[in-house]
Amino acid sequence: MIPSWQINRHALIWLLLAFVAVIFIHSAHLPHWIIVAALVAIICRVQRYRGAWPTPNRWIKLSLLALCLAGLFLEYGSHLIGLEPMVALLVSTYALKLLEMEHRRDALLVVFLAFFVAAVQALFDQSIGNAAYILGCFLLVTAALVGLHQGDTKIQPLRPLMKAAVLLLQAIPLMMLLFIIMPRLGSLWAVPIQSHSAKTGVTDTMTPGDFSRLGRSADLAFRVSFDGAIPRQHTLYWRGLVLSNFDGRQWSRSAPDDFNYGGFDKGGILQWFGRQTQPWDSLIERLGQPLHYSVVMEPSQQPWLYSLPTPLPKSTGIALTRDFRLLSSTSVTTKKQYEVDSWLDYKIAANDVSDYRRATELQIPRGYNPRTVELAQRWRRQNSNDKALVRKVLGLYNEKFVYTLQPPLLGKHSVDEFLFETQRGFCEHFSSSFVFFMRAAGVPARVVAGYQGGERHPDNYLLVRQYDAHAWAEVWLAGEGWVRVDPTAAVAPERIEANLEEALRDKEGFLADSPLSLMRFRHINWLNNIRLQLDSLNYSWARWVLGYDAIQENLLEKWLGSYSPLRIALALLIGGGGMLGLLALWQLRHRFSSKHDELDRAFLQLCKKLAKAGIPRISGEGPRAYAQRVAEQRPDLAREVKAINSVYEHMRYGNESQERLKVLKWAIRRVK
Amino acid sequence: MVERFGKFFRYHFSHWVYGRIPPSRSIALNNRSLFIFPSKAGFGFLLLVLICWLMATNYENNVVFAITCLLISVFVITILHSFSNLSGLKLSFVRATPAFAGEQLVVELVLHQEQSRYRESLSLSFLGEEAVATTLHDQEYIHVKVPLYAPRRGIYNPGRLTLESAYPLGLLRVWTKLDLDIGCLIYPQPIFTSPETVNAQSRGNGPLQMGDGSEDFVGLNNYQQGDSLKKIAWKQYAKEQGMYTKHYADYQDERIWLDWNDFPGLDRETRLSRLCGSLLQVSATDKAYGLRLPGIEILPDNNEEHRLKILRELALFEEPSRGDEEEQPFRKKPL
């Protein structure tokens, strides 16, 4: 037996394994030198165990600590407050503690650090695979904890792991109950977020080439579940941003609509879900029945959300903007689920548009694209009807323009060059040139950026990927208000009717950034099936686990009758109590039946038989003494009774198998 | 003040709580006799849970939230495992090896169980004594020897035995404090005297033995400081002939008496200690020896049983709680 404060061999093995597993998963966002330091810590630990190296003294420990701190300062310098530096600091602490731990107390701290460092990994990646990996890490860490408290180390080294597995498995039902019922409070204070994560998806500026770059990626942007059937493909315009400002090269949001996130809500720009209606809401006429759907968005590090026009938010923390888009109160840094009602039939500002709005949506930079301006004004004079003008321009595109992911580069007068020279472009070229043309002709117009279409999953939801990113136009027509015009549809109708893949099949550049994506192999049937199954799993995960906050209130209201603290507490008590009760019964099942019960029953049967034969067992008489007495009084039974007693004793006090019990019962039955 | 209150509280609380487990030679552990509370590590773990919860809430991260729920859940499940690690275990007092006061005493216990199960990391200890760790592997029973300090002669009840375990995760401590009605026989702490003294105390009718004895008068010797007052030749002293001590010779005798009266002027315990020391010395020889205590006389003999009998008499002489047969009310022993 070893002193209880020491770290035994099994615990050390599990601690080291857990350490390797936890560090490995973090390696992607840790500086390389920390990985090296962690390896050194493991080697030191193993060497110390083997007795090859001595316990590091205080000076070595202090200098190692100083080295780590210096490394962290050099690595992160000025921006020390961030998720990555925090994790790097945690991991170095973890490694140093592992290196110096000596007593069980230290090992406990290492175990707690391991739990925490493994949990922190979920801030970087919430995917189902990663969650499973973290669970695996927890298994190893728990095994280490069991190992630390297991007295005897001579027996099977796998016992701690088995015990840990049993503990975790039994903990899962209660965990699920807690997860479902425990209320989410929402962010209590601002926390550092990942600093190096690239913003993905559509950005709030548009220069030629932006969207063609997105066309090279098969990453997921968001998934949508509709109540009912998915609407037709050509109506699926996921509106995200309105770009009204043009400086000759780049489109961006107009200054008054361009607010800083955080302390906005000023000037009535936003209409939050659940708050009062803004006056500008009267500009919109919503016609017919709304379409209800739920979106699970992948992290984009941007605050804007995508919806079909025209939306009304149905989840908290989401606002409707003055140009009828959706906005989140914080940037989407983790998967975000939100619910929306959309009216596909609508009229916005049908009768008049404000002077301010008209001025904004007619603005063009002076000195750019003179040929286009000239042409626009000529056509304007020929067509007094705005609608006819729109049709004429779309006709121009349809005539001789080419839709391609690899358009030629454009110079200063980008619209001129595109319209009169290259005539090859992607959606941003078409929308940009169209809006410029319309504005030059005096028709209020603006660029809208977002996604178009999406892949229909057999499980009745829609997958929208980065290559579905799209830009189109909205023009203001008297009597109709803001109307969507998609010049790309004039050039490549298959892009809108089907999807980009159809439009660009076998063309170079499509999915160029995702060489291994399963999307490239979708023509292979079984691979495609696997891909769809995987996505279905991921989507359920995103919807029911990651985005659970959005549906918790409704769900609990349905199950519990009302979403009140009392009901929640009661559900927790009853549900948790029930689970624990069942588990306790299972744990203590030995109480209710054991091999001895059966054995004793068999023996009592023998006593009964013998009592009938006139030799009752005296109270307090042991089986052996009884057998002896029976043998003396009934020599004819002596052999049998003694044999039975012998088997009984072996089973009672030795480690006899259940097999013998059958033999014993048979023998007892035979006693006459 | 606070400390005193704490002591007072602990004293009365423990008497109230552990009073639920009456003294018995054999006690089966169940939910009545087992107590459970988070250990220091357990509170550390709860702190970890709190930190994880804050992280989950602030980052609005449901995976971390699920992890937090898992940690809470593991903590709760561990209660059952910790409890079932001890529950159903039966503790019986087997014997306490007699020892001399001031030495180590070994209390032998047996742990047994109805079912064959693993009982991990059990720790047994008496208050203020070193703990013994043990494990049951699938066995029906095991013997455990718990050491403790033997404070004084007599029948000693070391108080309640603490059986505890932090298995499986060390987050919860399950314990029980049992009064196994242990009575340990403790012999007096022996005080050894020089071998001559032992002889001096013996009287017999054997062949005359030269040297200092007490049986037959041989002559007078000059008084030396430390000589027994009984032996002073008062007649000569009264005649002012000087201070002499009467010198007696003993008969060589195989029978030695360990006599209470050989140690005049000493208090009871010291006398018993000296008798005990003498006994140990004498019993190492092959002489027969007997014991004379006020009201008790054991005739000389020489064998192990005899020796133990005498030791027992020495241990129990004028002991209030003599014997195990006596009715013992619920004692307020240190827990």
Side-chain angles (χ1 to χ4, degrees), chain A residues 255-446:
Chain A
D257 288 334
D258 193 3
F259 26 71
N260 255 341
Y261 301 104
F264 45 86
D265 209 8
K266 55 200 174 225
I269 292 175
L270 298 171
Q271 179 177 311
W272 292 96
F273 169 68
R275 305 262 192 88
Q276 72 186 70
T277 314
Q278 299 285 2
W280 44 259
D281 193 62
S282 60
L283 284 178
I284 188 165
E285 237 182 288
R286 300 184 173 94
L287 306 168
Q289 286 301 308
L291 191 65
H292 184 83
Y293 54 93
S294 150
V295 181
V296 178
M297 213 171 118
E298 296 294 308
S300 64
Q301 319 299 332
Q302 323 254 30
W304 42 86
L305 307 175
Y306 298 91
S307 59
L308 296 173
T310 62
L312 261 188
K314 288 288 167 200
S315 294
T316 43
I318 295 177
L320 183 68
T321 66
R322 211 154 47 158
D323 39 17
F324 303 101
R325 302 172 294 121
L326 295 185
L327 201 66
S328 162
S329 59
T330 53
S331 288
V332 181
T333 51
T334 56
K335 284 192 190 190
K336 184 175 180 70
Q337 179 161 0
Y338 56 92
E339 314 247 321
V340 191
D341 270 347
S342 275
W343 283 261
L344 297 188
D345 234 356
Y346 59 91
K347 276 187 176 173
I348 298 173
N351 300 321
D352 197 13
V353 71
S354 67
D355 290 347
Y356 145 74
R357 186 60 70 189
R358 183 183 291 271
T360 309
E361 315 295 16
L362 279 175
Q363 164 270 338
I364 44 175
R366 236 177 259 167
Y368 281 92
N369 309 313
R371 290 171 70 189
T372 312
V373 175
E374 196 264 332
L375 181 71
Q377 280 161 2
R378 185 145 45 92
W379 284 14
R380 171 83 275 185
R381 283 191 295 276
Q382 293 165 4
N383 299 276
S384 54
N385 187 336
D386 288 352
K387 240 178 169 171
L389 189 62
V390 167
R391 235 175 289 133
K392 185 156 182 174
V393 178
L394 292 181
L396 174 73
Y397 287 132
N398 187 256
E399 230 170 273
K400 45 192 169 180
F401 280 68
V402 176
Y403 183 63
T404 171
L405 254 176
Q406 291 170 310
L409 293 176
L410 300 173
K412 184 193 173 195
H413 300 292
S414 53
V415 178
D416 276 6
E417 284 172 35
F418 173 66
L419 281 184
F420 302 108
E421 287 159 32
T422 65
Q423 301 192 333
R424 293 165 66 84
F426 201 56
C427 61
E428 68 259 42
H429 301 89
F430 290 101
S431 57
S432 167
S433 58
F434 179 79
V435 170
F436 187 89
F437 194 101
M438 282 294 133
R439 286 184 174 187
V443 180
R446 57 195 187 190

Side-chain angles (χ1 to χ4, degrees), chain B residues 268-289:
Chain B
R268 183 181 68 196
E269 294 307 315
T270 320
R271 282 187 197 213
L272 291 171
S273 286
R274 284 189 172 256
L275 283 172
C276 183
S278 306
L279 170 70
L280 292 184
Q281 286 171 325
V282 161
S283 62
T285 67
D286 51 3
K287 294 169 187 161
Y289 50 90

Side-chain angles (χ1 to χ4, degrees), chain B residues 179-324:
Chain B
D179 190 340
L180 287 172
D181 207 9
I182 298 171
C184 316
L185 186 64
I186 301 178
Y187 306 138
Q189 183 171 23
I191 298 178
F192 295 103
T193 39
S194 54
E196 296 91 70
T197 333
V198 178
N199 286 335
Q201 291 152 9
S202 56
R203 269 167 269 179
N205 315 314
L208 193 71
Q209 181 206 349
M210 294 313 293
D212 197 21
S214 57
E215 205 71 357
D216 277 11
F217 181 71
V218 187
L220 292 172
N221 279 5
N222 276 329
Y223 172 77
Q224 285 175 327
Q225 213 165 354
D227 282 350
S228 168
L229 288 178
K230 279 183 187 169
K231 292 185 178 177
I232 290 177
W234 296 110
K235 266 185 201 163
Q236 278 74 16
Y237 185 65
K239 293 177 186 164
E240 294 187 346
Q241 288 173 339
M243 190 103 161
Y244 295 98
T245 48
K246 290 184 267 185
H247 185 57
Y248 297 88
D250 276 334
Y251 297 93
Q252 189 76 38
D253 185 7
E254 298 305 309
R255 294 170 54 198
I256 298 168
W257 283 100
L258 303 164
D259 195 333
W260 172 266
N261 292 320
D262 284 343
F263 305 96
L266 297 175
D267 65 3
R268 183 181 68 196
E269 294 307 315
T270 320
R271 282 187 197 213
L272 291 171
S273 286
R274 284 189 172 256
L275 283 172
C276 183
S278 306
L279 170 70
L280 292 184
Q281 286 171 325
V282 161
S283 62
T285 67
D286 51 3
K287 294 169 187 161
Y289 50 90
L291 176 72
R292 280 200 195 112
L293 292 177
I296 298 168
E297 184 173 285
I298 298 176
L299 292 173
D301 197 351
N302 188 337
N303 57 45
E304 183 61 15
E305 198 186 327
H306 178 69
R307 189 177 81 104
L308 292 177
K309 194 174 163 196
I310 289 178
L311 277 171
R312 188 177 164 82
E313 286 304 330
L314 290 177
L316 299 179
F317 180 67
E318 286 179 9
E319 252 290 287
S321 60
R322 185 185 170 117
D324 312 329

